[in-house]
């Protein structure tokens, strides 16, 4: 997927603080992660760009567009949900699942159908293609901070539940799997209802890895969106 | 939009019984309209085709795919909803609104935004392009039968609300406006959740005429879907 984007435009893949090859400590709120991301962008003198955010990354993308609107041209939100979305405190999720990351990927990114399983296998093979400069695995400490950040983002405010979204004016493409078991699909619909300029695409028989399962058509949809 | 499809493939536009240039009487159920449509297809010896259905036409398309699965290759559902969908008995709609069809089109197909209004004006101009073989306006009698059919389709069954949808196996593209005031957008989401092989595309700042407002990108999405 990343290579598909990179075939046509410059792609910068960010390991945020404490993640993968980046040093530092991972903060435990989306707002603080967004600040780290902005510092990174400023260090590279990136002033106006398109942002693609997946899951927690999509939360950071929303916060970025909200707090730093001048930096963002267009936004692609993959498998993510609004602040205070539906079922986004992930009470059933535990760090123990990280003990078997391959099983976690297979079970949460793909469905039980034959077609989705085959797409999952192809995805896992693609993940092995890079042999140099591979990211270090996420540490338990970082994963804990990320889970805390997601839960804070997902907690439902007592008033003005989706008040942030009408204030995000950037043209947005929302992409989701219709059977996402991590971030419930209704969250993509809620984003599309409340963001003023968002197009929604939802793929069939796909879970949290929808954009990887449907990578080819997703890249075509993303191209139409970014170039349109 | 129709010309856009016709540039690449054969398009047959059906005036069903009692509608436009077709004689006969318009029946008052979607099932009976579907039978008329099937007779038309058999008369032309159409054995396997793609169907595009808008609004009431999308209900007929679903019934067609459900009852005559061998006839349908792929299906595009525009601004429609499932049997027993949300808010689809249209209790507030009355035939009086047909007195000013231009106002009805403007108000129900487009939103109040500047961009949508301009798209609506362009749409109305396009409607005038055809000068020969124009359809006769829909009669009050036909409109009454259509309204009755839609209301019957929209009535919520006491059990198995969406039982029909998992049995429609055709690959489907669902297209809807995120601000559709005629068929509530949640209905497109419900179709995507219950049809086993459906992709959903939802366009921003668009009402019941979403596919006409976003005609160019819609045609590109439809092409990707039909050729993919």
């Amino acid at each position: 997927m990343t290579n598909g984007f990179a075939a046509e435009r410059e792609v910068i893949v960010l390991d945020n603080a404490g993640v993968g090859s980046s040093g530092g400590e991972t903060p435990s709120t989306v707002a603080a992660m967004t600040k780290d991301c902005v510092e990174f962008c400023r260090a590279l003198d990136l002033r106006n760009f398109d942002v693609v955010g997946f899951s927690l990354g999509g939360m950071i993308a929303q916060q970025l567009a909200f707090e730093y609107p001048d930096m963002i041209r267009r936004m692609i939100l993959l498998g993510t949900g609004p602040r205070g979305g539906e079922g986004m405190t992930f009470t059933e999720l535990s760090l123990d699942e990280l003990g078997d990351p391959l099983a976690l990927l297979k079970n949460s990114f793909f469905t039980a159908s034959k077609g989705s399983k085959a797409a999952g296998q192809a995805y896992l093979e693609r993940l092995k293609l890079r042999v140099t400069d591979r990211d270090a695995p996420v540490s338990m400490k970082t994963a804990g901070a990320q889970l805390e950040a997601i839960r804070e983002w997902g907690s439902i405010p007592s008033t003005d539940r989706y008040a942030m979204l009408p204030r995000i004016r950037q043209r947005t493409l929302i992409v989701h799997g219709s059977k996402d078991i991590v971030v419930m699909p209704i969250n993509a619909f809620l984003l599309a209802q409340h963001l003023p300029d968002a197009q929604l695409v939802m793929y069939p028989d796909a879970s949290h890895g929808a954009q990887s399962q449907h990578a080819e058509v997703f890249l075509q949809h993303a191209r139409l969106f970014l170039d349109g």
Side-chain angles (χ1 to χ4, degrees), chain A residues 57-207:
Chain A
M59 302 168 196
I60 296 172
Q62 290 172 67
Q63 189 71 26
L64 198 58
F66 180 70
E67 277 194 81
Y68 306 88
D70 294 342
M71 290 186 105
I72 308 299
R73 193 188 74 109
R74 296 190 185 174
M75 176 162 69
I76 300 182
L77 301 177
L78 309 173
T80 194
R83 207 175 212 313
E86 285 291 333
M88 285 177 62
T89 53
F90 304 98
T91 44
E92 74 294 354
L93 203 69
S94 108
L95 291 182
D96 298 342
E97 298 193 55
L98 288 173
D100 189 348
L102 223 61
L104 182 62
L105 268 187
K106 279 188 187 176
N107 297 335
S108 62
F109 277 38
F110 300 91
T111 76
S113 80
K114 203 176 154 188
S116 189
K117 275 184 175 173
Q121 201 52 50
Y123 169 72
L124 294 176
E125 295 302 321
R126 289 202 300 277
L127 285 186
K128 294 179 197 159
L129 287 178
R130 182 183 296 274
V131 288
T132 55
D133 295 329
R134 289 189 65 91
D135 275 341
V138 171
S139 71
M140 287 303 261
K141 190 178 172 196
T142 285
Q146 289 177 330
L147 191 53
E148 199 178 327
I150 290 169
R151 284 180 171 152
E152 192 275 331
W153 177 268
S155 68
I156 301 174
S158 53
T159 57
D160 296 331
R161 189 166 180 185
Y162 300 121
M164 180 182 178
L165 298 179
R167 295 169 62 190
I168 298 179
R169 314 293 310 178
Q170 283 85 354
R171 185 161 288 184
T172 301
L173 175 65
I174 302 158
V175 175
H176 217 94
S178 67
K179 303 292 170 198
D180 192 327
I181 62 164
V182 180
V183 179
M184 284 162 57
I186 193 70
N187 289 295
F189 178 74
L190 289 166
L191 284 170
Q193 286 290 288
H194 293 279
L195 286 168
D197 193 3
Q199 185 185 110
L200 167 65
V201 177
M202 199 168 274
Y203 296 119
D205 183 35
S207 187

